[in-house]
Amino acid sequence: MSAEADRKTPALRVDKWLWHARLCKTRTLAAKIVSGGKLRVNGTRAAKPSVQTRPGDVLTVAIHGRVRVVRVLNVGKRRGPASEAATLYEDLSPPPPPRTAPAETAQIKPGARPNKRERRARDKLHSFEA
C-alpha cells in the first residue's frame, strides 16, 4: 500500500481498538498489554500503545491465559455493546480447549468426621448396583 492510501484508510490506536473490540476490559489494561510486549501487529511486536491499526491488520495478543489471533475488519467509532464489538474483528485463533469439571473425590481428612458432601461422595463410590 502506498503512503497516500495509508492516510485514507481509517486507523485507530491499537490500545483503543482492543478496548473497543472488548478484548480488554479497560483502555489502561490494553495499554499495559501493548507496553508489556504481549501484542504483535502483522507479526511485528508493537512497542507502544499508539501504534495505528487498520482494517486488514492481523493482531496476535497474549491475553486471558491464551493467545488470540484476530484480523481487524473495522476500526469502530465507539465502545458499544458486545454484538457491535464482534463485528470489528474475525477470530482466527483455534478454539480454547474444553473446560473440564474438577474431579469429584471422596477425600476424607484423617481424624475428622466427614461432612454431608463427603459422606455422599463416599457412598456414591461404594454403592454397588447389581
Side-chain angles (χ1 to χ4, degrees), residues 31-125:
K32 285 181 183 177
I33 287 171
V34 176
S35 298
K38 297 181 180 181
L39 175 84
R40 293 181 180 270
V41 178
N42 297 325
T44 307
R45 189 174 72 85
K48 295 181 179 180
S50 62
V51 171
Q52 298 291 310
T53 185
R54 293 176 166 76
D57 287 348
V58 176
L59 306 180
T60 306
V61 185
I63 191 169
H64 303 302
R66 62 181 261 211
V67 176
R68 306 258 327 248
V69 181
V70 296
R71 176 177 291 123
V72 178
L73 299 177
N74 196 356
V75 290
K77 300 284 184 213
R78 65 185 185 122
R79 185 176 198 257
S83 58
E84 185 179 314
T87 64
L88 299 180
Y89 64 91
E90 174 188 2
D91 197 353
L92 303 174
S93 56
R99 295 178 61 164
T100 58
E104 187 80 28
T105 59
Q107 295 290 329
I108 300 174
K109 300 164 202 80
R113 288 183 56 184
N115 61 23
K116 193 172 192 176
R117 176 189 260 171
E118 292 167 340
R119 279 196 311 274
R120 287 183 176 168
R122 180 194 62 203
D123 292 343
K124 187 187 283 185
L125 286 175

